[in-house]
Amino acid sequence: MSLSLSAEQPAVPDVADDGVWLECIECGETFAPFDDVRYTCDECDGLLEVRYDDLPTFDDFEGHGVWRYADALPFESGVSIQEGSTPLYEVPRLEDEVGVEALRIKHEGMNPTGSFKDRGMTVGVKVAKELGVGRLACASTGNTSAALAAYGTRGSMETLVLLPAGKVAAGKIAQASLHDARILEVDGNFDACLDIVQELAAKGEVYLLNSLNPFRLEGQKTIGLEILEGFLTDYDTVPDRIVLPVGNAGNTSALYKAFRELVQAGELAEDDVPKLTGVQAEGAAPMVEAIQNGADEVRRWDDVETRATAIRIGNPVNAPKALPGIRETDGTAVAVSDEEITDAQRALAREGIGVEPASAASLAGLRKLRVNGVVDDDERVACLTTGHLLKDPDAAAAAGGDPEPVPADTADILEHLKQ
Ligand SMILES: *Cc1c(COP(=O)(O)O)cnc(C)c1O
Ligand SMILES: [Zn+2]
């Protein structure tokens, strides 16, 4: 199977361009990477992956940000706003509370537009320029649209975003709007928006930059590479486990691909690959259902609800890439309640780390798996926090305490503070 950890490096097909090609994960058909616009396999509609004749080693990486990892990417540089090189915070109090050997928080909210989506867009928008397409588009629960708007305008391209009406956090719409995207508010949920934008893309109206686009996942691989390098520097070993929120499962797929490529290059032992551990909200947990039932396919959930709007997704498009990733790394998936998510958001905030609700799902999931005994006390763990607190100011205000009204008078305020 092409997605197994022990898969051999495939032979370079004739269609390869400078050692890069696209390959279907289902039937193995190969395609030239930049000749035509293509998101899925012509033969079987399966998901595509980018392949390279030359796999990177740690020694190849130099410089800063996403493009430090150019040797693991299809280009030397992209349309950049200095994405990547995000902090890998120590959290000693949380580490004690959760009870693991080491806990670090990889805070992707510290990217230029405040989420990891920037890492995918720096590569994806570069590919769009390479292909010479006119208009960029995505369906989004918010962060993809903010990132695409910023990278699109940075690359002097027109951007169209489809958002589920009433279900996108305020900060994200504000970003998409100010970065000059045309915003369509669709009377339907995210999955409906994605169906429509895929149809627009199939008609050649737009270039699709959802995580169905295999090039975006290439950029997102760099999260995994940064975490590995960070742990190697600080602990002299890679983490035992990476816990991350799951929506369309693009990150889960991207991290797995990064690790697979390092294994194929002989840079990482198969036994050392971190256990990929996905967390979903109880009201939108089709991946968790599939993992727990041992199913080969994910059942689409038509009605999804959670205050973690960034992962309010019922039909994770990258499931065929992510399910093998979770299974082959001996990971797992777990669902958490909205209350557990908000609790974790508060706990991270008390460490000075401001994240949006979906991001806090990772810590909430880790806590639950420690209580269940799935995660051992001797594990070194990285939790991924995917987006910044200011993305969803309403959720942050609701999770925090209320301001206290006082008169503009020092004596009154001193009196008030005694209460
Ligand atoms: C996009 C997003 C996710 C979901 O990531 P997938 O790669 O689709 O699983 C999680 N959290 C935040 C903040 C996001 O913006
Ligand atoms: Zn195919």
Side-chain angles (χ1 to χ4, degrees), residues 104-361:
R104 299 297 278 274
I105 305 294
K106 180 67 171 168
H107 191 17
E108 287 295 298
M110 303 300 277
N111 274 296
T113 78
S115 86
F116 71 84
K117 300 297 196 304
D118 297 348
R119 294 182 189 260
M121 292 306 175
T122 186
V123 179
V125 174
K126 164 84 175 181
V127 174
K129 289 188 96 61
E130 202 74 12
L131 288 164
V133 298
R135 182 160 49 176
L136 310 174
C138 68
S140 177
T141 60
N143 284 331
T144 302
S145 67
L148 182 60
Y151 283 80
T153 194
R154 183 91 180 165
S156 309
M157 300 183 81
E158 210 183 305
T159 297
L160 181 69
V161 303
L162 278 73
L163 306 179
K167 296 294 182 184
V168 178
K172 306 175 187 182
I173 302 188
Q175 287 179 293
S177 150
L178 194 58
H179 289 306
D180 216 20
R182 185 155 179 199
I183 304 173
L184 305 183
E185 272 191 339
V186 177
D187 180 19
N189 64 17
F190 168 82
D191 301 295
C193 292
L194 184 58
D195 289 344
I196 294 168
V197 84
Q198 278 184 246
E199 281 161 21
L200 293 177
K203 290 181 189 303
E205 291 291 324
V206 297
Y207 181 66
L208 182 71
L209 273 166
N210 279 95
S211 58
L212 184 68
N213 186 312
F215 292 104
R216 254 190 59 194
L217 302 190
E218 292 307 292
Q220 291 171 210
K221 286 192 309 195
T222 61
I223 302 172
L225 298 172
E226 283 182 18
I227 293 175
L228 258 50
E229 285 195 314
F231 271 70
L232 284 168
T233 303
D234 294 347
Y235 304 106
D236 212 23
T237 173
V238 301
D240 298 300
R241 185 182 299 273
I242 297 180
V243 187
L244 74 167
V246 174
N248 271 311
N251 264 340
T252 315
S253 309
L255 265 61
Y256 180 49
K257 185 167 191 282
F259 302 150
R260 239 185 314 138
E261 288 174 351
L262 288 172
V263 169
Q264 279 178 6
E267 287 289 284
L268 178 65
E270 221 179 296
D271 288 345
D272 289 344
V273 173
K275 298 177 167 66
L276 284 171
T277 302
V279 187
Q280 294 193 299
E282 280 172 356
M287 282 281 293
V288 175
E289 180 182 73
I291 289 289
Q292 286 176 354
N293 296 341
D296 287 335
E297 276 177 29
V298 168
R299 182 179 67 89
R300 178 176 179 144
W301 288 24
D302 284 322
D303 293 307
V304 283
E305 200 49 87
T306 166
R307 72 174 66 125
T309 50
I311 52 173
R312 188 174 169 276
I313 289 167
N315 187 30
V317 294
N318 284 298
K321 292 177 174 176
L323 286 175
I326 291 173
R327 293 197 172 117
E328 288 266 313
T329 62
D330 211 13
T332 189
V334 66
V336 293
S337 69
D338 278 7
E339 287 65 39
E340 289 166 325
I341 287 174
T342 299
D343 263 2
Q345 189 187 19
R346 289 196 192 100
L348 286 161
R350 279 195 300 269
E351 295 273 12
I353 302 172
V355 308
E356 68 168 288
S359 307

Side-chain angles (χ1 to χ4, degrees), residues 24 26-29 41 43-46:
C24 172
E26 305 291 348
C27 77
E29 186 66 32
C41 177
E43 303 294 323
C44 77
D45 215 28

Side-chain angles (χ1 to χ4, degrees), residues 76-97:
E76 281 302 302
S77 64
V79 175
S80 176
I81 321 177
Q82 299 188 21
E83 51 293 318
S85 290
T86 54
L88 185 64
Y89 291 121
E90 292 183 65
V91 281
R93 284 177 292 177
L94 270 178
E95 188 177 271
D96 276 353
E97 182 233 298

